[in-house]
Amino acid sequence: IPIRDIAIGLPVGYLATRDEGTSIDLSANIDIGGLQRRNEEDQIKARLELISLIFDEKGRTVDNRSEKIDLNLKGDSLTAAQKNGLGYRRLLKLKPGSYQARLILREEGSFRVGTASAWVEVPDFTRRQFALSSIFLTVSETKAGGAEVMTPGDAAVSGVRSLVYRRFPRRDKLDFLVFAYNAKLGEGGS
């Protein structure tokens, strides 16, 4: 049962590249409305602990990570964070199989906690069967790489929020990306 003192959205997808192999993509959005305000009314100072856990289909832990995030939001960065939330992204290499990703966020100095979980299946590409990656939706370009916490002023944050909650303003251009693996050409070469 998710705990929503601090709301977290967490879609999980997979993709495969020649260089990196098969990876899952954790792209979370954290709603700062559940954080305690410290100092002045127009400022949020908080220390967060973010824990990500990955379990296989038998319930065994295959990855865990704990990170500390120090927030000091005020002015424009606070306004942007209130509108778009805070983005978090992590790419993680995994072998084929079914996995459950869990994200736990705890605000130090309070009893506020947020949790989210999602399942993802990573196909076995060694069987040379046709497969599609997860569908990735966004309205802006997001950064790739290891784990990163995006600052509220980062243009990618609103794209991550759209990706996580799958709600897009009518005026925005919706981009989607899907990868085809082990596709074969038809008779006419198409």
Side-chain angles (χ1 to χ4, degrees):
I1 298 175
I3 301 171
R4 301 198 187 273
D5 295 337
I6 304 169
I8 303 173
L10 177 68
V12 179
Y14 79 88
L15 59 118
T17 64
R18 287 180 200 229
D19 297 336
E20 298 297 322
T22 306
S23 300
I24 64 169
D25 180 4
L26 303 170
S27 295
N29 185 273
I30 303 161
D31 184 346
I32 67 163
L35 299 178
Q36 265 186 353
R37 291 188 182 271
R38 304 234 169 78
N39 297 342
E40 303 167 22
E41 194 168 303
D42 61 345
Q43 181 177 10
I44 291 181
K45 275 187 149 183
R47 183 172 178 102
L48 308 174
E49 180 179 18
L50 182 68
I51 301 168
S52 60
L53 301 161
I54 309 295
F55 298 94
D56 67 12
E57 57 196 12
K58 294 181 180 176
R60 294 180 295 220
T61 304
V62 294
D63 184 78
N64 62 25
R65 183 180 209 167
S66 177
E67 301 175 59
K68 301 284 185 180
I69 302 166
D70 289 310
L71 295 180
N72 186 6
L73 302 173
K74 55 187 171 185
D76 292 342
S77 64
L78 176 59
T79 303
Q82 288 169 329
K83 179 180 177 187
N84 299 318
L86 297 174
Y88 173 83
R89 185 168 190 215
R90 181 173 176 217
L91 294 176
L92 178 66
K93 291 183 190 178
L94 290 175
K95 295 178 183 177
S98 295
Y99 298 93
Q100 183 184 40
R102 296 182 190 173
L103 201 61
I104 303 159
L105 183 70
R106 182 180 69 84
E107 181 181 13
E108 290 186 4
S110 77
F111 293 102
R112 296 176 190 274
V113 175
T115 64
S117 66
W119 284 91
V120 64
E121 183 158 344
V122 177
D124 184 356
F125 294 109
T126 61
R127 292 197 256 155
R128 299 298 216 192
Q129 293 179 334
F130 178 76
L132 294 175
S133 71
S134 298
I135 299 172
F136 297 93
L137 302 172
T138 188
V139 291
S140 65
E141 186 175 325
T142 57
K143 297 176 184 174
E148 61 182 282
V149 175
M150 294 174 234
T151 62
D154 191 335
V157 172
S158 64
V160 170
R161 183 174 181 84
S162 296
L163 170 72
V164 170
Y165 293 108
R166 295 190 168 111
R167 293 185 193 126
F168 302 90
R170 286 185 181 194
R171 69 183 181 283
D172 287 348
K173 180 181 172 188
L174 175 63
D175 296 322
F176 70 93
L177 180 64
V178 65
F179 296 96
Y181 304 104
N182 299 319
K184 296 177 183 170
L185 293 177
E187 296 231 352
S190 57

